[in-house]
Amino acid sequence: MVMSLHVIEEAHRFITQAVLVGARVFGRAFAEAYRQASASSKYSQSSIPSSGSFTSKNFISSGLTLDEACKILNVKPPKGGSANIEEVTERFKRLFDANEPTKGGSFYLQSKILRARERIELEAREAQEAAETEAELKEGWKPKIWKDR
């Protein structure tokens, strides 16, 4: 009986030490991961240009700027917010089909082409909405009045 108490006491010490060592290792790994994430975040924030032309919408479609999207699809940047959507769509279809992975193309290039089209369409849509808002402001607010009959 005395021997079994001694074995239980040793097992208890062993389990306690294993838990403490595991917790210490986990804590250090967590602290190091947090330090690395914090440093990475600071680095990425410092690499963002502080010029006035930078906005979050410039990188809305997978980090693609409007200039990069236009270069990928080989179209001119939209002038005054209006883009030639037919030309963008035609170039998109041709390049997207040419890079079909089943025909030996690249899935990576296909995804870049898709993101470029999305980016240009987003820019055109935002410009159209801004123009509509501007036209509405110039026209003035004219509420619709419904009369009961």
Side-chain angles (χ1 to χ4, degrees):
M1 186 94 155
V2 174
M3 184 64 139
S4 64
L5 281 175
H6 182 66
V7 170
I8 293 174
E9 195 173 298
E10 287 294 321
H12 181 269
R13 283 187 199 154
F14 177 73
I15 292 172
T16 304
Q17 285 179 345
V19 168
L20 290 176
V21 169
R24 190 177 306 142
V25 168
F26 179 75
R28 286 181 183 167
F30 183 79
E32 183 63 27
Y34 180 78
R35 272 190 239 115
Q36 287 180 359
S38 177
S40 175
S41 175
K42 287 178 186 176
Y43 176 76
S44 67
Q45 288 296 323
S46 68
S47 67
I48 294 176
S50 60
S51 66
S53 66
F54 179 80
T55 60
S56 62
K57 76 175 189 173
N58 287 346
F59 287 92
I60 208 149
S61 186
S62 305
L64 223 55
T65 64
L66 182 61
D67 291 334
E68 290 171 333
C70 291
K71 287 177 184 177
I72 289 170
L73 292 178
N74 195 22
V75 294
K76 293 180 182 175
K79 299 281 186 197
S82 63
N84 187 353
I85 298 298
E86 292 81 26
E87 181 184 7
V88 170
T89 303
E90 182 268 324
R91 300 247 178 147
F92 163 75
K93 286 180 181 178
R94 185 172 51 83
L95 291 171
F96 194 82
D97 291 341
N99 286 293
E100 178 67 36
T102 58
K103 297 178 185 174
S106 167
F107 178 75
Y108 173 76
L109 290 178
Q110 255 192 342
S111 66
K112 281 293 191 183
I113 292 164
L114 176 66
R115 299 295 174 239
R117 186 203 65 184
E118 288 175 347
R119 180 68 176 98
I120 293 171
E121 287 177 349
L122 173 73
E123 189 72 24
R125 190 175 334 116
E126 286 179 352
Q128 181 182 9
E129 289 172 359
E132 289 172 0
T133 303
E134 187 67 31
E136 186 177 304
L137 288 174
K138 284 182 182 179
E139 183 180 303
W141 186 62
K142 296 181 181 173
K144 297 179 181 176
I145 299 173
W146 299 93
K147 295 181 182 177
D148 290 329
R149 295 184 188 198

